[in-house]
PDB file of all heavy atoms in Angstrom:
ATOM      1  N   SER A 293     -80.044   3.368   4.380  1.00  0.00           N
ATOM      2  CA  SER A 293     -80.747   3.762   5.608  1.00  0.00           C
ATOM      3  C   SER A 293     -81.609   2.634   6.161  1.00  0.00           C
ATOM      4  O   SER A 293     -82.027   2.676   7.304  1.00  0.00           O
ATOM      5  CB  SER A 293     -81.584   5.010   5.360  1.00  0.00           C
ATOM      6  OG  SER A 293     -82.892   4.661   4.975  1.00  0.00           O
ATOM      7  N   GLU A 316     -80.996  -2.392  12.383  1.00  0.00           N
ATOM      8  CA  GLU A 316     -82.318  -1.805  12.134  1.00  0.00           C
ATOM      9  C   GLU A 316     -82.137  -0.353  11.681  1.00  0.00           C
ATOM     10  O   GLU A 316     -81.075   0.243  11.900  1.00  0.00           O
ATOM     11  CB  GLU A 316     -83.137  -1.807  13.428  1.00  0.00           C
ATOM     12  CG  GLU A 316     -83.502  -3.182  13.955  1.00  0.00           C
ATOM     13  CD  GLU A 316     -84.575  -3.869  13.103  1.00  0.00           C
ATOM     14  OE1 GLU A 316     -85.245  -3.158  12.325  1.00  0.00           O
ATOM     15  OE2 GLU A 316     -84.715  -5.089  13.201  1.00  0.00           O
ATOM     16  N   GLU A 318     -83.209   2.422  12.956  1.00  0.00           N
ATOM     17  CA  GLU A 318     -82.822   3.358  14.016  1.00  0.00           C
ATOM     18  C   GLU A 318     -81.400   3.102  14.512  1.00  0.00           C
ATOM     19  O   GLU A 318     -80.710   4.026  14.933  1.00  0.00           O
ATOM     20  CB  GLU A 318     -83.821   3.333  15.179  1.00  0.00           C
ATOM     21  CG  GLU A 318     -83.999   2.006  15.879  1.00  0.00           C
ATOM     22  CD  GLU A 318     -85.124   1.165  15.276  1.00  0.00           C
ATOM     23  OE1 GLU A 318     -85.387   1.303  14.056  1.00  0.00           O
ATOM     24  OE2 GLU A 318     -85.731   0.373  16.019  1.00  0.00           O
ATOM     25  N   GLN A 322     -78.412   5.709  14.848  1.00  0.00           N
ATOM     26  CA  GLN A 322     -77.672   5.860  16.107  1.00  0.00           C
ATOM     27  C   GLN A 322     -76.173   5.642  15.900  1.00  0.00           C
ATOM     28  O   GLN A 322     -75.353   6.194  16.629  1.00  0.00           O
ATOM     29  CB  GLN A 322     -78.213   4.884  17.158  1.00  0.00           C
ATOM     30  CG  GLN A 322     -79.605   5.276  17.655  1.00  0.00           C
ATOM     31  CD  GLN A 322     -80.306   4.148  18.407  1.00  0.00           C
ATOM     32  OE1 GLN A 322     -79.680   3.181  18.818  1.00  0.00           O
ATOM     33  NE2 GLN A 322     -81.607   4.287  18.576  1.00  0.00           N
ATOM     34  N   LEU A 327     -79.735  10.163   6.431  1.00  0.00           N
ATOM     35  CA  LEU A 327     -80.221  10.336   5.057  1.00  0.00           C
ATOM     36  C   LEU A 327     -81.126  11.556   4.994  1.00  0.00           C
ATOM     37  O   LEU A 327     -82.135  11.618   5.688  1.00  0.00           O
ATOM     38  CB  LEU A 327     -80.996   9.085   4.610  1.00  0.00           C
ATOM     39  CG  LEU A 327     -81.732   9.178   3.266  1.00  0.00           C
ATOM     40  CD1 LEU A 327     -80.759   9.341   2.099  1.00  0.00           C
ATOM     41  CD2 LEU A 327     -82.606   7.942   3.042  1.00  0.00           C
ATOM     42  N   PHE A 329     -83.846  13.233   3.038  1.00  0.00           N
ATOM     43  CA  PHE A 329     -84.781  12.677   2.065  1.00  0.00           C
ATOM     44  C   PHE A 329     -85.066  13.623   0.903  1.00  0.00           C
ATOM     45  O   PHE A 329     -85.085  14.836   1.068  1.00  0.00           O
ATOM     46  CB  PHE A 329     -86.107  12.343   2.752  1.00  0.00           C
ATOM     47  CG  PHE A 329     -86.021  11.148   3.655  1.00  0.00           C
ATOM     48  CD1 PHE A 329     -85.676  11.290   4.990  1.00  0.00           C
ATOM     49  CD2 PHE A 329     -86.278   9.876   3.168  1.00  0.00           C
ATOM     50  CE1 PHE A 329     -85.587  10.189   5.822  1.00  0.00           C
ATOM     51  CE2 PHE A 329     -86.192   8.772   3.988  1.00  0.00           C
ATOM     52  CZ  PHE A 329     -85.843   8.926   5.318  1.00  0.00           C
ATOM     53  N   GLY A 337     -99.134  17.186  13.802  1.00  0.00           N
ATOM     54  CA  GLY A 337     -99.375  16.757  15.180  1.00  0.00           C
ATOM     55  C   GLY A 337     -98.103  16.460  15.951  1.00  0.00           C
ATOM     56  O   GLY A 337     -98.099  16.502  17.164  1.00  0.00           O
ATOM     57  N   GLU A 342     -90.180  18.744  19.276  1.00  0.00           N
ATOM     58  CA  GLU A 342     -90.166  17.578  20.165  1.00  0.00           C
ATOM     59  C   GLU A 342     -89.551  16.380  19.456  1.00  0.00           C
ATOM     60  O   GLU A 342     -88.860  15.574  20.062  1.00  0.00           O
ATOM     61  CB  GLU A 342     -91.573  17.262  20.707  1.00  0.00           C
ATOM     62  CG  GLU A 342     -92.557  16.789  19.690  1.00  0.00           C
ATOM     63  CD  GLU A 342     -93.859  16.260  20.313  1.00  0.00           C
ATOM     64  OE1 GLU A 342     -93.795  15.405  21.216  1.00  0.00           O
ATOM     65  OE2 GLU A 342     -94.913  16.715  19.880  1.00  0.00           O
ATOM     66  N   PHE A 343     -89.791  16.288  18.141  1.00  0.00           N
ATOM     67  CA  PHE A 343     -89.210  15.209  17.351  1.00  0.00           C
ATOM     68  C   PHE A 343     -87.686  15.289  17.388  1.00  0.00           C
ATOM     69  O   PHE A 343     -86.983  14.323  17.704  1.00  0.00           O
ATOM     70  CB  PHE A 343     -89.751  15.310  15.921  1.00  0.00           C
ATOM     71  CG  PHE A 343     -89.003  14.540  14.874  1.00  0.00           C
ATOM     72  CD1 PHE A 343     -88.575  13.241  15.099  1.00  0.00           C
ATOM     73  CD2 PHE A 343     -88.745  15.112  13.635  1.00  0.00           C
ATOM     74  CE1 PHE A 343     -87.892  12.533  14.115  1.00  0.00           C
ATOM     75  CE2 PHE A 343     -88.070  14.421  12.652  1.00  0.00           C
ATOM     76  CZ  PHE A 343     -87.637  13.133  12.892  1.00  0.00           C
ATOM     77  N   GLU A 346     -86.103  14.623  20.902  1.00  0.00           N
ATOM     78  CA  GLU A 346     -86.050  13.209  21.244  1.00  0.00           C
ATOM     79  C   GLU A 346     -84.968  12.498  20.422  1.00  0.00           C
ATOM     80  O   GLU A 346     -84.201  11.691  20.940  1.00  0.00           O
ATOM     81  CB  GLU A 346     -87.427  12.563  21.054  1.00  0.00           C
ATOM     82  CG  GLU A 346     -87.602  11.331  21.911  1.00  0.00           C
ATOM     83  CD  GLU A 346     -89.054  11.027  22.288  1.00  0.00           C
ATOM     84  OE1 GLU A 346     -89.888  11.956  22.362  1.00  0.00           O
ATOM     85  OE2 GLU A 346     -89.348   9.860  22.502  1.00  0.00           O
ATOM     86  N   VAL A 350     -81.616  10.595  21.820  1.00  0.00           N
ATOM     87  CA  VAL A 350     -81.433   9.157  21.578  1.00  0.00           C
ATOM     88  C   VAL A 350     -80.053   8.922  20.964  1.00  0.00           C
ATOM     89  O   VAL A 350     -79.323   8.003  21.345  1.00  0.00           O
ATOM     90  CB  VAL A 350     -82.538   8.630  20.632  1.00  0.00           C
ATOM     91  CG1 VAL A 350     -82.131   7.320  19.998  1.00  0.00           C
ATOM     92  CG2 VAL A 350     -83.841   8.446  21.394  1.00  0.00           C
ATOM     93  N   ASN A 388     -92.561  19.097   8.954  1.00  0.00           N
ATOM     94  CA  ASN A 388     -92.748  19.349   7.516  1.00  0.00           C
ATOM     95  C   ASN A 388     -94.164  19.768   7.124  1.00  0.00           C
ATOM     96  O   ASN A 388     -94.496  19.858   5.945  1.00  0.00           O
ATOM     97  CB  ASN A 388     -92.360  18.118   6.683  1.00  0.00           C
ATOM     98  CG  ASN A 388     -90.879  17.817   6.781  1.00  0.00           C
ATOM     99  OD1 ASN A 388     -90.066  18.734   6.697  1.00  0.00           O
ATOM    100  ND2 ASN A 388     -90.533  16.559   6.973  1.00  0.00           N
ATOM    101  N   GLU A 400     -84.432  19.295   6.440  1.00  0.00           N
ATOM    102  CA  GLU A 400     -83.578  18.099   6.464  1.00  0.00           C
ATOM    103  C   GLU A 400     -82.142  18.468   6.849  1.00  0.00           C
ATOM    104  O   GLU A 400     -81.510  17.786   7.648  1.00  0.00           O
ATOM    105  CB  GLU A 400     -83.567  17.408   5.087  1.00  0.00           C
ATOM    106  CG  GLU A 400     -84.907  16.818   4.649  1.00  0.00           C
ATOM    107  CD  GLU A 400     -85.319  15.626   5.482  1.00  0.00           C
ATOM    108  OE1 GLU A 400     -84.694  14.561   5.389  1.00  0.00           O
ATOM    109  OE2 GLU A 400     -86.279  15.774   6.263  1.00  0.00           O
ATOM    110  N   GLN A 403     -81.885  19.194  10.479  1.00  0.00           N
ATOM    111  CA  GLN A 403     -81.813  17.947  11.258  1.00  0.00           C
ATOM    112  C   GLN A 403     -80.401  17.372  11.214  1.00  0.00           C
ATOM    113  O   GLN A 403     -79.865  16.906  12.220  1.00  0.00           O
ATOM    114  CB  GLN A 403     -82.809  16.917  10.712  1.00  0.00           C
ATOM    115  CG  GLN A 403     -84.262  17.316  10.920  1.00  0.00           C
ATOM    116  CD  GLN A 403     -85.220  16.300  10.317  1.00  0.00           C
ATOM    117  OE1 GLN A 403     -84.870  15.146  10.098  1.00  0.00           O
ATOM    118  NE2 GLN A 403     -86.449  16.724  10.049  1.00  0.00           N
TER     119      GLN A 403
ATOM    120  N   GLU B 516     -94.785   5.216   6.312  1.00  0.00           N
ATOM    121  CA  GLU B 516     -93.755   6.123   5.813  1.00  0.00           C
ATOM    122  C   GLU B 516     -93.283   7.069   6.920  1.00  0.00           C
ATOM    123  O   GLU B 516     -92.086   7.340   7.064  1.00  0.00           O
ATOM    124  CB  GLU B 516     -94.317   6.919   4.626  1.00  0.00           C
ATOM    125  CG  GLU B 516     -93.226   7.518   3.767  1.00  0.00           C
ATOM    126  CD  GLU B 516     -93.776   8.479   2.723  1.00  0.00           C
ATOM    127  OE1 GLU B 516     -95.001   8.519   2.520  1.00  0.00           O
ATOM    128  OE2 GLU B 516     -92.959   9.199   2.129  1.00  0.00           O
ATOM    129  N   TYR B 519     -91.072   5.139   9.342  1.00  0.00           N
ATOM    130  CA  TYR B 519     -89.716   4.996   8.806  1.00  0.00           C
ATOM    131  C   TYR B 519     -88.932   6.290   8.970  1.00  0.00           C
ATOM    132  O   TYR B 519     -87.763   6.292   9.366  1.00  0.00           O
ATOM    133  CB  TYR B 519     -89.795   4.569   7.336  1.00  0.00           C
ATOM    134  CG  TYR B 519     -88.520   4.779   6.537  1.00  0.00           C
ATOM    135  CD1 TYR B 519     -87.327   4.155   6.909  1.00  0.00           C
ATOM    136  CD2 TYR B 519     -88.522   5.585   5.405  1.00  0.00           C
ATOM    137  CE1 TYR B 519     -86.165   4.350   6.168  1.00  0.00           C
ATOM    138  CE2 TYR B 519     -87.373   5.780   4.664  1.00  0.00           C
ATOM    139  CZ  TYR B 519     -86.194   5.171   5.049  1.00  0.00           C
ATOM    140  OH  TYR B 519     -85.045   5.367   4.328  1.00  0.00           O
ATOM    141  N   TYR B 520     -89.593   7.392   8.687  1.00  0.00           N
ATOM    142  CA  TYR B 520     -88.932   8.700   8.782  1.00  0.00           C
ATOM    143  C   TYR B 520     -88.422   8.949  10.202  1.00  0.00           C
ATOM    144  O   TYR B 520     -87.266   9.321  10.411  1.00  0.00           O
ATOM    145  CB  TYR B 520     -89.921   9.785   8.369  1.00  0.00           C
ATOM    146  CG  TYR B 520     -89.332  11.175   8.239  1.00  0.00           C
ATOM    147  CD1 TYR B 520     -88.576  11.531   7.139  1.00  0.00           C
ATOM    148  CD2 TYR B 520     -89.550  12.135   9.224  1.00  0.00           C
ATOM    149  CE1 TYR B 520     -88.045  12.807   7.006  1.00  0.00           C
ATOM    150  CE2 TYR B 520     -89.025  13.411   9.105  1.00  0.00           C
ATOM    151  CZ  TYR B 520     -88.277  13.741   7.993  1.00  0.00           C
ATOM    152  OH  TYR B 520     -87.756  15.009   7.874  1.00  0.00           O
ATOM    153  N   LEU B 521     -89.281   8.701  11.193  1.00  0.00           N
ATOM    154  CA  LEU B 521     -88.869   8.939  12.575  1.00  0.00           C
ATOM    155  C   LEU B 521     -87.750   7.969  12.979  1.00  0.00           C
ATOM    156  O   LEU B 521     -86.807   8.342  13.671  1.00  0.00           O
ATOM    157  CB  LEU B 521     -90.059   8.790  13.529  1.00  0.00           C
ATOM    158  CG  LEU B 521     -91.226   9.772  13.361  1.00  0.00           C
ATOM    159  CD1 LEU B 521     -92.199   9.642  14.523  1.00  0.00           C
ATOM    160  CD2 LEU B 521     -90.763  11.212  13.262  1.00  0.00           C
ATOM    161  N   ARG B 522     -87.885   6.722  12.536  1.00  0.00           N
ATOM    162  CA  ARG B 522     -86.848   5.738  12.886  1.00  0.00           C
ATOM    163  C   ARG B 522     -85.512   6.108  12.228  1.00  0.00           C
ATOM    164  O   ARG B 522     -84.450   5.877  12.799  1.00  0.00           O
ATOM    165  CB  ARG B 522     -87.275   4.334  12.447  1.00  0.00           C
ATOM    166  CG  ARG B 522     -88.396   3.768  13.294  1.00  0.00           C
ATOM    167  CD  ARG B 522     -88.820   2.397  12.792  1.00  0.00           C
ATOM    168  NE  ARG B 522     -87.802   1.395  13.038  1.00  0.00           N
ATOM    169  CZ  ARG B 522     -87.717   0.236  12.372  1.00  0.00           C
ATOM    170  NH1 ARG B 522     -88.586  -0.043  11.402  1.00  0.00           N
ATOM    171  NH2 ARG B 522     -86.782  -0.635  12.662  1.00  0.00           N
ATOM    172  N   SER B 523     -85.573   6.697  11.040  1.00  0.00           N
ATOM    173  CA  SER B 523     -84.332   7.054  10.344  1.00  0.00           C
ATOM    174  C   SER B 523     -83.596   8.179  11.065  1.00  0.00           C
ATOM    175  O   SER B 523     -82.476   8.514  10.713  1.00  0.00           O
ATOM    176  CB  SER B 523     -84.633   7.471   8.900  1.00  0.00           C
ATOM    177  OG  SER B 523     -85.069   8.818   8.866  1.00  0.00           O
ATOM    178  N   ARG B 524     -84.258   8.761  12.073  1.00  0.00           N
ATOM    179  CA  ARG B 524     -83.592   9.782  12.891  1.00  0.00           C
ATOM    180  C   ARG B 524     -83.220   9.229  14.262  1.00  0.00           C
ATOM    181  O   ARG B 524     -82.942   9.976  15.190  1.00  0.00           O
ATOM    182  CB  ARG B 524     -84.505  11.007  13.041  1.00  0.00           C
ATOM    183  CG  ARG B 524     -84.884  11.668  11.713  1.00  0.00           C
ATOM    184  CD  ARG B 524     -83.666  12.152  10.934  1.00  0.00           C
ATOM    185  NE  ARG B 524     -84.014  12.829   9.699  1.00  0.00           N
ATOM    186  CZ  ARG B 524     -83.675  12.387   8.495  1.00  0.00           C
ATOM    187  NH1 ARG B 524     -83.017  11.244   8.342  1.00  0.00           N
ATOM    188  NH2 ARG B 524     -84.000  13.068   7.421  1.00  0.00           N
ATOM    189  N   GLY B 525     -83.286   7.902  14.398  1.00  0.00           N
ATOM    190  CA  GLY B 525     -82.765   7.277  15.605  1.00  0.00           C
ATOM    191  C   GLY B 525     -83.799   6.805  16.609  1.00  0.00           C
ATOM    192  O   GLY B 525     -83.461   6.131  17.568  1.00  0.00           O
ATOM    193  N   LEU B 526     -85.069   7.172  16.412  1.00  0.00           N
ATOM    194  CA  LEU B 526     -86.085   6.758  17.384  1.00  0.00           C
ATOM    195  C   LEU B 526     -86.418   5.282  17.195  1.00  0.00           C
ATOM    196  O   LEU B 526     -86.527   4.804  16.066  1.00  0.00           O
ATOM    197  CB  LEU B 526     -87.360   7.585  17.209  1.00  0.00           C
ATOM    198  CG  LEU B 526     -87.211   9.096  17.350  1.00  0.00           C
ATOM    199  CD1 LEU B 526     -88.577   9.770  17.231  1.00  0.00           C
ATOM    200  CD2 LEU B 526     -86.593   9.449  18.690  1.00  0.00           C
ATOM    201  N   GLN B 530     -90.910   4.035  20.298  1.00  0.00           N
ATOM    202  CA  GLN B 530     -90.902   5.489  20.544  1.00  0.00           C
ATOM    203  C   GLN B 530     -91.618   6.232  19.421  1.00  0.00           C
ATOM    204  O   GLN B 530     -92.403   7.156  19.659  1.00  0.00           O
ATOM    205  CB  GLN B 530     -89.455   5.997  20.553  1.00  0.00           C
ATOM    206  CG  GLN B 530     -88.820   6.152  21.905  1.00  0.00           C
ATOM    207  CD  GLN B 530     -87.368   6.599  21.740  1.00  0.00           C
ATOM    208  OE1 GLN B 530     -86.624   6.047  20.917  1.00  0.00           O
ATOM    209  NE2 GLN B 530     -86.971   7.577  22.516  1.00  0.00           N
ATOM    210  N   MET B 534     -95.063   8.566  19.440  1.00  0.00           N
ATOM    211  CA  MET B 534     -95.052   9.930  18.924  1.00  0.00           C
ATOM    212  C   MET B 534     -96.115  10.122  17.845  1.00  0.00           C
ATOM    213  O   MET B 534     -96.850  11.109  17.836  1.00  0.00           O
ATOM    214  CB  MET B 534     -93.665  10.244  18.376  1.00  0.00           C
ATOM    215  CG  MET B 534     -93.348  11.714  18.361  1.00  0.00           C
ATOM    216  SD  MET B 534     -91.645  12.023  17.850  1.00  0.00           S
ATOM    217  CE  MET B 534     -90.903  12.415  19.418  1.00  0.00           C
ATOM    218  N   LEU B 535     -96.222   9.159  16.962  1.00  0.00           N
ATOM    219  CA  LEU B 535     -97.185   9.284  15.864  1.00  0.00           C
ATOM    220  C   LEU B 535     -98.623   9.149  16.363  1.00  0.00           C
ATOM    221  O   LEU B 535     -99.501   9.896  15.945  1.00  0.00           O
ATOM    222  CB  LEU B 535     -96.924   8.212  14.795  1.00  0.00           C
ATOM    223  CG  LEU B 535     -95.655   8.398  13.979  1.00  0.00           C
ATOM    224  CD1 LEU B 535     -95.440   7.200  13.078  1.00  0.00           C
ATOM    225  CD2 LEU B 535     -95.727   9.681  13.164  1.00  0.00           C
ATOM    226  N   GLY B 538     -99.468  12.165  18.202  1.00  0.00           N
ATOM    227  CA  GLY B 538     -99.547  13.254  17.239  1.00  0.00           C
ATOM    228  C   GLY B 538    -100.913  13.341  16.580  1.00  0.00           C
ATOM    229  O   GLY B 538    -101.395  14.409  16.226  1.00  0.00           O
ATOM    230  N   GLN B 541    -102.800  15.207  19.079  1.00  0.00           N
ATOM    231  CA  GLN B 541    -102.096  16.452  19.398  1.00  0.00           C
ATOM    232  C   GLN B 541    -102.379  17.521  18.341  1.00  0.00           C
ATOM    233  O   GLN B 541    -102.477  18.707  18.641  1.00  0.00           O
ATOM    234  CB  GLN B 541    -100.594  16.167  19.468  1.00  0.00           C
ATOM    235  CG  GLN B 541     -99.741  17.365  19.804  1.00  0.00           C
ATOM    236  CD  GLN B 541     -98.347  16.953  20.243  1.00  0.00           C
ATOM    237  OE1 GLN B 541     -98.201  16.090  21.087  1.00  0.00           O
ATOM    238  NE2 GLN B 541     -97.334  17.569  19.669  1.00  0.00           N
ATOM    239  N   GLU B 542    -102.535  17.061  17.108  1.00  0.00           N
ATOM    240  CA  GLU B 542    -102.801  17.981  16.007  1.00  0.00           C
ATOM    241  C   GLU B 542    -104.052  18.824  16.300  1.00  0.00           C
ATOM    242  O   GLU B 542    -104.080  20.020  16.012  1.00  0.00           O
ATOM    243  CB  GLU B 542    -103.004  17.153  14.736  1.00  0.00           C
ATOM    244  CG  GLU B 542    -102.997  17.960  13.477  1.00  0.00           C
ATOM    245  CD  GLU B 542    -103.303  17.113  12.249  1.00  0.00           C
ATOM    246  OE1 GLU B 542    -103.292  15.872  12.344  1.00  0.00           O
ATOM    247  OE2 GLU B 542    -103.580  17.707  11.203  1.00  0.00           O
TER     248      GLU B 542
END
Side-chain angles (χ1 to χ4, degrees):
Chain A
S293 92
E316 294 288 343
E318 60 269 29
Q322 289 165 16
L327 172 65
F329 288 89
E342 67 170 309
F343 164 44
E346 205 153 332
V350 161
N388 294 316
E400 294 291 291
Q403 293 178 22
Chain B
E516 199 189 348
Y519 163 60
Y520 188 77
L521 297 190
R522 289 178 70 201
S523 81
R524 300 300 182 243
L526 302 183
Q530 263 177 314
M534 204 175 256
L535 290 174
Q541 181 164 311
E542 192 184 348

